[in-house]
Amino acid sequence: GFEMYCKLLDEAIAELRGRFHEYDGDDDGRIVFAEFCELLAELDEDLSKEECQLAFQGADHDDDGVIGFDEFAAWWIGS
């Protein structure tokens, strides 16, 4: 029922937070461009710097130059 749904949702969010922290190299709660490019490389994405920049800009919804957890979660789920 609903409790099981909430438990699964909590587990999914916890897994996403874990992935986010893996790529947040300096653990400041934000993923910067270099960290994002490392993430893409680990995912076997053979992208040029320009392609990486386009992907980063697509994930950086508020255009502040960093990717926060909410942006990361939306990008991860949508990719």
Side-chain angles (χ1 to χ4, degrees):
F2 184 70
E3 284 182 29
M4 182 62 145
Y5 171 78
C6 288
K7 182 178 183 205
L8 290 172
L9 187 59
D10 286 345
E11 289 172 4
I13 292 171
E15 182 179 333
L16 268 177
R17 283 201 186 279
R19 290 194 182 272
F20 179 80
H21 288 294
E22 275 180 53
Y23 299 113
D24 178 14
D26 54 6
D27 204 30
D28 65 353
R30 307 174 308 170
I31 293 177
V32 296
F33 178 69
E35 293 167 335
F36 188 76
C37 289
E38 288 175 24
L39 177 161
L40 292 178
E42 286 183 24
L43 295 175
D44 262 349
E45 298 288 337
D46 188 23
L47 300 177
S48 69
K49 188 171 183 176
E50 291 77 20
E51 291 169 320
C52 189
Q53 183 69 43
L54 287 173
F56 183 84
Q57 289 170 343
D60 181 18
H61 297 151
D62 61 5
D63 294 322
D64 64 352
V66 295
I67 297 173
F69 175 73
D70 291 343
E71 292 168 317
F72 174 79
W75 174 81
W76 188 270
I77 292 167
S79 65

